[in-house]
């Protein structure tokens, strides 16, 4: 039976916002009006390189990834986004410039999307959301900075341990090839790292 997207629950997003700043009834209604549900099937693109990113995406269920493909055809994953995570190309979204990233679905994924016009309208109608999205962007910047520092100062094994500690629900959910592309190592090397971990007392 075809899924009725109009019935997608807004509750996970409202809960997420309420953990940052409590929303009143009118603000909750604004969220319901301005965020639109969308279902992406596995391997379907949310954003393709060269296109302008038109949405902030909140994952209700499923998993997305953002990545680039180099000249040799190798995939380099920048981010995974599973339930209650956000994903977008911030530079392309705010500057309306062509994206260098791809975002696609690793699983059938339900998201709640907001466009640039709807987001700026949300800021105007309820300034509280300006603060909320500032926190989201700050958190994203910190996470990317920490990842960059880790990539240049940590071993592959340390990066793997950090990944499974931060995302234990993804370590057994994602294919080994995807985790390896995120860590910047080959699947074969990741297999050796995992084997070494299982042998430790």
């Amino acid at each position: 039976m075809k899924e009725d997207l109009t019935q997608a629950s807004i509750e996970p997003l409202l809960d997420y916002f309420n953990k940052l700043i409590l929303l009143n009834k009118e603000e909750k209604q604004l969220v319901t009006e301005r965020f639109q549900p969308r279902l992406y099937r596995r391997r379907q693109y949310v954003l393709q390189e060269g296109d302008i990113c038109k949405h902030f995406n909140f994952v209700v269920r499923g998993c997305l990834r953002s990545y680039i493909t180099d000249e040799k055809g190798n995939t380099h994953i920048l981010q995974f986004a599973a339930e209650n995570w956000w994903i977008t190309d911030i530079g392309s979204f705010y500057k309306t410039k062509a994206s260098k990233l791809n975002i696609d679905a690793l699983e059938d994924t339900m998201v709640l999307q907001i466009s640039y016009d709807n987001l700026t309208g949300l800021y105007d109608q309820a300034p509280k959301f300006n603060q909320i999205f500032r926190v989201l962007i700050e958190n994203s910047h910190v996470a990317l900075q920490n990842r960059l520092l880790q990539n240049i100062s940590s071993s592959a094994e340390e990066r793997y341990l950090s990944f499974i500690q931060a995302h234990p629900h993804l370590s057994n959910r994602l294919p080994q090839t995807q985790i390896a592309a995120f860590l910047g190592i080959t699947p074969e090397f990741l297999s050796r790292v995992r084997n070494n971990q299982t042998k430790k007392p």
Side-chain angles (χ1 to χ4, degrees):
M1 185 173 71
K2 186 176 180 180
E3 186 167 4
D4 185 356
L5 297 184
T6 63
Q7 299 302 313
S9 174
I10 198 75
E11 289 303 318
L13 181 56
L14 294 176
D15 289 343
Y16 184 96
F17 286 150
N18 276 320
K19 289 176 183 177
L20 297 175
I21 302 176
L22 287 177
L23 304 181
N24 60 35
K25 183 178 180 180
E26 291 74 20
E27 290 161 345
K28 290 179 180 179
Q29 183 60 34
L30 286 173
V31 172
T32 301
E33 292 171 357
R34 291 187 176 271
F35 279 84
Q36 300 299 317
R38 172 111 185 235
L39 177 65
Y40 289 96
R41 297 298 184 186
R42 183 172 177 264
R43 297 183 178 174
Q44 186 176 355
Y45 281 102
V46 179
L47 173 69
Q48 284 187 274
E49 179 184 358
D51 292 342
I52 294 172
C53 183
K54 296 180 179 179
H55 299 97
F56 250 93
N57 300 282
F58 177 82
V59 179
V60 176
R61 61 175 170 80
C63 187
L64 304 176
R65 64 169 178 167
S66 64
Y67 67 96
I68 61 170
T69 303
D70 65 24
E71 294 178 353
K72 296 181 179 179
N74 299 313
T75 297
H76 305 275
I77 297 176
L78 182 67
Q79 180 191 359
F80 295 116
E83 290 80 7
N84 297 319
W85 292 2
W86 296 85
I87 192 167
T88 191
D89 180 339
I90 292 176
S92 176
F93 180 82
Y94 281 108
K95 301 296 184 182
T96 61
K97 292 184 177 180
S99 178
K100 296 180 180 180
L101 298 175
N102 297 288
I103 300 176
D104 66 4
L106 295 174
E107 305 168 351
D108 288 353
T109 302
M110 174 69 74
V111 301
L112 291 165
Q113 298 180 322
I114 189 166
S115 67
Y116 179 82
D117 288 343
N118 275 330
L119 182 58
T120 54
L122 196 60
Y123 293 163
D124 292 338
Q125 289 183 273
K128 188 180 292 184
F129 288 101
N130 201 330
Q131 183 177 351
I132 288 174
F133 275 84
R134 188 184 71 209
V135 170
L136 293 179
I137 292 169
E138 288 172 353
N139 289 344
S140 175
H141 180 79
V142 170
L144 288 174
Q145 178 176 277
N146 288 340
R147 179 149 183 247
L148 175 62
L149 291 172
Q150 189 178 65
N151 283 347
I152 63 178
S153 64
S154 302
S155 67
E157 188 166 6
E158 289 170 335
R159 296 200 301 276
Y160 172 68
L161 290 174
S162 178
F163 175 80
I164 61 174
Q165 288 169 1
H167 313 297
H169 60 298
L170 290 181
S171 59
N172 293 320
R173 180 171 163 183
L174 296 175
Q176 187 163 292
T177 52
Q178 299 296 326
I179 297 175
F182 178 81
L183 297 175
I185 58 179
T186 65
E188 294 76 17
F189 191 82
L190 176 58
S191 181
R192 290 199 296 272
V193 168
R194 280 179 156 175
N195 289 335
N196 289 339
Q197 287 300 311
T198 57
K199 291 177 184 177
K200 290 183 178 181

